[in-house]
Every structure is written in C-alpha cells, then in structure tokens.
C-alpha cells in the first residue's frame, strides 16, 4: 500500500450550490476563505439572480465558478469540483455544503488530526469535523458498524474516533485517496453519495475518522 504524505497542502474547497440562500452562502464563504488555498463553487443550475451573485463573488474572492445549465446531481457536481481543484494544484479537497459555516481553525485542526493519525501509523482516507445544527443545537451523527448492523454515534469535541461513514460537508480528503477509491458514484443523484464513498474507502483499506 502506498504511504500517504503527512502534509496536506494546498487545500481547496469544493462547494456545490443549488438556489442557495445568498445571505447564508455569504457566511459560508466568509468563514471558509481564510482557511483554504482556493474555492471551487459548482452552481447546479440555480436562478439567474444566484448566478449573477456568484459571478460577482468570483471576481472579489479566490473563487472559481463552474456554472451548470441544469441540476446535474450532487455527485456529478462534486466530481467536477474535485477535478477542478486537482487541475489547480490542490493536494486535498474540503467538501462543503452551501449552508455550512466553519468555526475558526477548523481546516487547520482537521489537517493536524490527519498528520497525527498518519504519524501514529493509521491510514486515514477522510477526516471530518464534529458538527451541529445551528437552529436546533442537535449534534451531528456518524455511522458505525456494530456486528451485522450500523448504528449512529456522536464525537466529542477533542476526540478523534474511527467511524464508518459521515456526511460529505466538512470532509477533508487527499487526492491520493481519491485515486485509490475513485470518484463519487454519479448514479446517486443526492442521497447516499457520502455513505457509498466512505464504505468504498473502508473496503479499500482506508479508515474514516471524525
């Protein structure tokens, strides 16, 4: 098995949009921009007003905009964004939803966790943050296999724990792992994309960490 590099840099974010709330999207991009080396926004055929707003943003920030004529599905849009990040020299990508807001230093902490796992002899395929719903305060849940079934669990703030699957938003993945595991399955339009990829990564000998 190839040895992964301890250094995940540069990191580019991939954000897929579809008729986003522009105020929330601005918060997302504002919290994201200082933490990554570039941003690829894939607009999945939203309204003309959204497209004009994204075009204006792409002139003011380090944002590459890939505008689609219609909704090609989340997996296909993510694949376009990941490939665009690769072409721009990224070593890893951070996947992000259009309404996710990052806490300060989130990406740096994910990168530090990655390096810690690598240095301890682990083989991480993806590192994801613990997350919560800003409206309800509910903690995000991760999928873990127990025997013949899967159960959900949470992750404490300062823990690093292995899980079997997580949502895509906030996931930090290097291109070396993408090359081994493959792209997102575009036969899934929106649901099960992240779970499918995580389980394929596990089958390829990688571990998923929260």
């Amino acid at each position: 098995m190839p040895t992964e590099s301890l250094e995940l840099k540069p990191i580019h974010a991939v954000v897929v949009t579809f008729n986003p709330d522009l105020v929330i999207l601005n918060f997302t991009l504002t919290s994201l921009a200082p933490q990554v080396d570039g941003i690829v926004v894939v607009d999945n055929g939203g309204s003309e007003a959204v497209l004009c707003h994204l075009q204006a943003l792409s002139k003011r920030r380090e944002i590459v905009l890939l505008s689609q004529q219609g909704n090609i599905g989340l997996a296909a849009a993510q694949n376009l964004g990941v490939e665009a990040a690769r072409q721009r020299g990224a070593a890893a990508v951070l996947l992000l939803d259009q309404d996710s807001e990052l806490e300060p230093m989130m990406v740096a902490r994910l990168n530090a966790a990655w390096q810690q796992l690598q240095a301890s002899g682990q083989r991480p395929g993806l590192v994801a943050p613990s997350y919560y719903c800003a409206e309800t305060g509910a903690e995000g849940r991760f999928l873990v296999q127990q025997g013949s079934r899967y159960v959900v669990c949470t992750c404490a703030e300062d823990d690093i724990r292995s899980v079997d699957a997580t949502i895509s938003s906030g996931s930090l993945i290097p291109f070396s792992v993408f090359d081994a595991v493959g792209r997102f399955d575009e036969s899934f339009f929106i649901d099960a994309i992240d779970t499918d990829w995580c389980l394929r990564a596990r089958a390829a000998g990688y571990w998923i960490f929260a």
Side-chain angles (χ1 to χ4, degrees):
M1 293 182 179
T3 301
E4 313 295 346
S5 170
L6 287 176
E7 180 69 18
L8 290 184
K9 194 168 180 63
I11 296 172
H12 287 211
V14 173
V15 183
V16 177
T17 60
F18 180 73
N19 288 325
D21 181 309
L22 296 180
V23 173
I24 295 176
L25 179 62
N26 284 340
F27 278 122
T28 296
L29 297 177
T30 298
S31 68
L32 174 62
Q35 300 194 43
V36 294
D37 302 291
I39 302 173
V40 179
V41 174
V42 184
D43 182 50
N44 244 348
S47 68
E48 189 65 28
V50 168
L51 180 57
C52 290
H53 185 80
L54 290 173
Q55 288 172 336
L57 282 176
S58 68
K59 294 176 182 178
R60 298 202 309 264
R61 304 175 187 269
E62 292 299 316
I63 295 175
V64 173
L65 175 61
L66 303 179
S67 178
Q68 308 306 302
Q69 294 301 311
N71 191 342
I72 62 174
L74 178 58
Q78 286 178 327
N79 285 335
L80 285 176
V82 168
E83 185 56 32
R86 183 199 295 270
Q87 294 300 321
R88 285 159 177 78
V93 294
L94 178 81
L95 302 175
L96 209 65
D97 289 346
Q98 64 187 24
D99 57 355
S100 297
E101 187 174 354
L102 284 64
E103 291 189 347
M105 300 298 293
M106 188 198 86
V107 178
R109 292 180 67 185
L110 290 178
N111 203 345
W114 180 278
Q115 294 181 48
Q116 179 181 335
L117 290 163
Q118 285 285 101
S120 66
Q122 302 287 338
R123 195 165 185 252
L126 177 157
V127 178
S130 183
Y131 60 97
Y132 64 95
C133 176
E135 293 181 354
T136 67
E139 290 185 81
R141 296 181 174 186
F142 302 92
L143 201 62
V144 177
Q145 186 174 14
Q146 288 187 356
S148 60
R149 65 193 184 100
Y150 287 94
V151 298
V152 293
C153 69
T154 58
C155 182
E157 181 176 347
D158 295 320
D159 279 349
I160 301 177
R161 66 172 299 172
S162 66
V163 298
D164 286 288
T166 179
I167 63 170
S168 61
S169 188
S171 297
L172 180 64
I173 310 171
F175 279 104
S176 57
V177 177
F178 272 122
D179 290 340
V181 177
R183 292 153 53 99
F184 298 109
D185 187 341
E186 296 182 11
S187 67
F188 296 110
F189 191 79
I190 187 169
D191 291 324
I193 300 164
D194 38 25
T195 301
D196 168 76
W197 192 92
C198 287
L199 296 181
R200 283 194 282 129
R202 291 286 290 112
Y206 291 94
W207 292 86
I208 308 299
F209 288 94

